[in-house]
Amino acid sequence: MIEQLGLIGCGLMGGSFALALKRAKLVKRVVGYSKSPSTTERARQLGVIDVAAPSALLAMSGADLVLIAVPVGASEQTFKAIRHGINDKMFVMDVGSTKGDVIEAARRGLQDQIGAFVPAHPIAGKELAGVEHADADLYAGRQVVLTPVKATLRSNVQRASKVWTAIGAKVVTMTPEAHDSAFAAVSHLPHLLAFAFINAMTAHPQGSRFLELAGPGFRDFTRIAASDPTMWRDVLLANREQVLLQAQGFREALAHLEALVRTGNAQELEDAIAAASGTRSLWQPGVAASPD
Amino acid sequence: MIEQLGLIGCGLMGGSFALALKRAKLVKRVVGYSKSPSTTERARQLGVIDVAAPSALLAMSGADLVLIAVPVGASEQTFKAIRHGINDKMFVMDVGSTKGDVIEAARRGLQDQIGAFVPAHPIAGKELAGVEHADADLYAGRQVVLTPVKATLRSNVQRASKVWTAIGAKVVTMTPEAHDSAFAAVSHLPHLLAFAFINAMTAHPQGSRFLELAGPGFRDFTRIAASDPTMWRDVLLANREQVLLQAQGFREALAHLEALVRTGNAQELEDAIAAASGTRSLWQPGVAASPD
């Protein structure tokens, strides 16, 4: 289906995409570039890419699909670097966790080539960054959100949808604004809270003794706190407006529960916990908690 | 090792303890009582208990070990109900997630029999409450915290330690105060935050649409929000002072991160996330994150 994939950013996300395409025999050749030459070379040694390119522009030359899998903060410079290499047969995707800022970066960086770009966010990941952890199964069964804008060529949205579907992902399309609001709620805010929780623990004089006693609840609640700092710095800054808005909603809900605990309002506390517990018990990945 | 176990509260925790003793052939007979007769009967049908007793006092009659596995809010009435059945050959344990309040309840309820009581908190659980989910492996490899007080007979602490060790748990001893402070940090506060997070999501006009997009990070972060409302109401109220104190520390850490996001302080934000990520990456269950 794809003659040549130009992979810009040979990390976990990009590497997993390349491996998935290769395993499904959907790509003939993968040409890769990473900012760090040792990463590019490592990707080649691992068979994630076939050819190591010395620049982003050379990595995309001759490709029919270009995947940009760099930290969202590096989006604009990447778009600028590849703009002159884009031709009519080529489409470009990213894998960023935020979409509004990446689209702005694409408008500035790609300019009149913006039609080639299909903004994409695969809802998948691991705490372990790096091409060593790239996994052909990373996207299997996961949702991928495409957020095309007016300028995006419809034919490219269709090609993007087809390639994600072919590697086992489920494609959802929405506006960039709806995406960024939803992911502030379900992903960016939880990360912020998990980081804050660990930092509060560390700030406590007995924090490291406490950690010795932590069990499976702590393990799962804080798993996302081990995520990549550079990536999450960029995500939180890129989507700051929505993240701060939803953090405000969270603080209100927390203050309400704290007040019920402080005043010993057992019935209302139980009701509030039951509401949360009921919602979470009904939740399943990719399924609405209640019909609406 | 145990001739007869008197099990008061035939739910997940108590049922799992009985099953573990039975599987290890450490108990000859289990006599059980639950507040709801249908639960007691169900426990008997499932083979978790051998005999269903019509009262707490009858369930403990003739036992050499009594396990109280009721919501912590029901501790005092349970201690009162069994006080006159306690004799010199018998020791009593609980499985409560809070210890200061249970010990106060034991002082009031057991009075001069307080020496028989060994306060215990096995760090294990599931979101799925009820005897149907009782599991002989629930405590295997888990830590169990014993918090004896001055009046607790040393011989009973030894017996308690021996029985938990025999079913594969690792015994740790500490003061009730140290326990309650540590578990506010590693367990009770995370539950409060997870409940608040889900309630904030529900309060958002588009909350249920957001939930459809949630992925594995959300799944793990919120797993504990599905916990039993009655149990967690009791735990949060029982340990309210420590929970509120540590919630305060959390809110400060969150406000700090929010300020870095708001002002776009990329370097300090990355440093703060890296600190959290590093601490969490080093953490392992039951192992100190840093030597101190």
Side-chain angles (χ1 to χ4, degrees), chain B residues 255-272:
Chain B
H256 178 63
L257 286 183
E258 282 188 75
L260 297 177
V261 170
R262 188 174 295 112
T263 57
N265 190 333
Q267 188 55 57
E268 280 193 43
L269 180 61
E270 182 179 346
D271 292 347

Side-chain angles (χ1 to χ4, degrees), chain A residues 82 168 225 257 289:
Chain A
I82 66 166
L257 287 182

Side-chain angles (χ1 to χ4, degrees), chain A residues 208 220 223 233 270 292, chain B residues 208 220 222-223 233 270 292:
Chain A
S208 56
D220 290 355
R223 183 179 64 80
R233 173 201 68 190
E270 182 179 347
D292 71 348
Chain B
S208 56
D220 290 355
T222 61
R223 183 178 64 79
R233 173 201 69 192
E270 182 179 346
D292 71 348

Side-chain angles (χ1 to χ4, degrees), chain A residues 123-125 142-143 145 172 174 178-179 181-187 189-202 204-206 208-230 232-234 236-237 240 242-251 253-255 257-267 269-270 272-281 283-292, chain B residues 123-125 142-143 145 172 174 178-179 181-187 189-202 204-206 208-230 232-234 236-237 240 242-251 253-255 257-267 269-270 272-281 283-292:
Chain A
I123 309 170
R142 301 292 185 198
Q143 294 189 93
V145 183
V172 179
M174 60 177 71
H179 171 280
S181 164
F183 284 89
V186 301
S187 173
L189 179 59
H191 278 79
L192 188 74
L193 301 180
F195 298 142
F197 174 76
I198 294 285
N199 286 345
M201 179 85 78
T202 311
H204 195 288
Q206 294 182 279
S208 56
R209 284 211 51 229
F210 293 167
L211 284 172
E212 293 176 50
L213 293 161
F218 170 91
R219 178 196 63 207
D220 290 355
F221 181 75
T222 61
R223 183 179 64 80
I224 53 175
S227 298
D228 183 60
T230 314
W232 282 95
R233 173 201 68 190
D234 286 356
L236 294 172
L237 292 177
R240 74 177 84 173
Q242 279 298 322
V243 169
L244 293 171
L245 190 68
Q246 310 221 11
Q248 172 65 22
F250 167 80
R251 280 193 274 102
L254 178 60
L257 287 182
E258 282 189 74
L260 297 177
V261 170
R262 187 174 296 113
T263 57
N265 190 334
Q267 189 56 56
L269 180 61
E270 182 179 347
I273 296 173
S277 180
T279 298
R280 179 55 182 79
S281 300
W283 178 83
Q284 289 183 311
V287 177
S290 62
D292 71 348
Chain B
I123 309 170
R142 300 292 184 198
Q143 295 188 91
V145 183
V172 179
M174 60 176 73
H179 171 279
S181 163
F183 284 89
V186 300
S187 173
L189 178 60
H191 278 79
L192 188 73
L193 301 180
F195 298 142
F197 175 75
I198 294 286
N199 285 346
M201 181 85 78
T202 312
H204 195 288
Q206 293 182 279
S208 56
R209 285 210 52 228
F210 293 167
L211 285 171
E212 293 177 50
L213 291 162
F218 171 91
R219 178 196 63 208
D220 290 355
F221 181 75
T222 61
R223 183 178 64 79
I224 54 177
S227 299
D228 183 59
T230 314
W232 282 95
R233 173 201 69 192
D234 285 356
L236 294 173
L237 291 177
R240 73 177 84 174
Q242 279 297 324
V243 169
L244 293 171
L245 190 68
Q246 310 221 12
Q248 173 64 23
F250 167 81
R251 279 192 275 103
L254 177 61
L257 286 183
E258 282 188 75
L260 297 177
V261 170
R262 188 174 295 112
T263 57
N265 190 333
Q267 188 55 57
L269 180 61
E270 182 179 346
I273 296 173
S277 179
T279 298
R280 179 56 180 81
S281 299
W283 177 83
Q284 289 183 311
V287 177
S290 63
D292 71 348

Side-chain angles (χ1 to χ4, degrees), chain A:
Chain A
M1 185 194 276
I2 305 293
E3 284 291 317
Q4 187 170 310
L5 168 66
L7 183 63
I8 299 172
C10 303
L12 172 72
M13 301 294 280
S16 297
F17 183 80
L19 287 178
L21 282 189
K22 281 179 168 227
R23 194 180 57 183
K25 302 202 187 301
L26 291 169
V27 65
K28 289 197 182 152
R29 206 161 82 122
V30 179
V31 181
Y33 165 75
S34 267
K35 202 175 155 193
S36 144
S38 65
T39 301
T40 321
E41 179 51 24
R42 184 97 185 100
R44 201 191 55 76
Q45 285 166 354
L46 290 166
V48 170
I49 64 172
D50 303 305
V51 178
S55 73
L57 192 59
L58 285 166
M60 77 181 297
S61 171
D64 38 356
L65 166 57
V66 179
L67 189 78
I68 297 175
V70 301
V72 288
S75 299
E76 185 168 345
Q77 66 190 77
T78 308
F79 287 125
K80 278 184 179 150
I82 66 166
R83 179 184 162 217
H84 294 295
I86 295 179
N87 61 44
D88 289 351
K89 295 182 188 147
M90 192 180 274
F91 73 110
V92 179
M93 294 192 296
D94 75 320
V95 294
S97 303
T98 51
K99 295 273 68 82
D101 68 307
V102 171
I103 289 166
E104 281 314 302
R107 285 193 208 282
R108 287 191 299 267
L110 296 178
Q111 299 186 18
D112 54 338
Q113 298 287 6
I114 184 80
F117 177 55
V118 183
H121 173 203
I123 309 170
K126 287 185 189 177
E127 289 64 53
L128 301 162
V131 69
E132 294 78 11
H133 302 107
D135 176 356
D137 281 319
L138 189 68
Y139 304 115
R142 301 292 185 198
Q143 294 189 93
V144 174
V145 183
L146 304 182
T147 63
V149 291
K150 215 172 166 187
T152 316
L153 291 175
R154 294 302 104 176
S155 57
N156 287 335
V157 178
Q158 283 163 12
R159 291 164 84 190
S161 183
K162 219 164 150 183
V163 73
W164 285 110
T165 305
I167 60 170
K170 289 172 277 186
V171 173
V172 179
T173 303
M174 60 177 71
T175 66
E177 296 73 27
H179 171 280
D180 286 354
S181 164
F183 284 89
V186 301
S187 173
H188 310 166
L189 179 59
H191 278 79
L192 188 74
L193 301 180
F195 298 142
F197 174 76
I198 294 285
N199 286 345
M201 179 85 78
T202 311
H204 195 288
Q206 294 182 279
S208 56
R209 284 211 51 229
F210 293 167
L211 284 172
E212 293 176 50
L213 293 161
F218 170 91
R219 178 196 63 207
D220 290 355
F221 181 75
T222 61
R223 183 179 64 80
I224 53 175
S227 298
D228 183 60
T230 314
M231 178 190 153
W232 282 95
R233 173 201 68 190
D234 286 356
V235 168
L236 294 172
L237 292 177
N239 202 18
R240 74 177 84 173
E241 204 178 311
Q242 279 298 322
V243 169
L244 293 171
L245 190 68
Q246 310 221 11
Q248 172 65 22
F250 167 80
R251 280 193 274 102
E252 285 163 16
L254 178 60
H256 178 64
L257 287 182
E258 282 189 74
L260 297 177
V261 170
R262 187 174 296 113
T263 57
N265 190 334
Q267 189 56 56
E268 278 194 43
L269 180 61
E270 182 179 347
D271 291 348
I273 296 173
S277 180
T279 298
R280 179 55 182 79
S281 300
L282 286 175
W283 178 83
Q284 289 183 311
V287 177
S290 62
D292 71 348

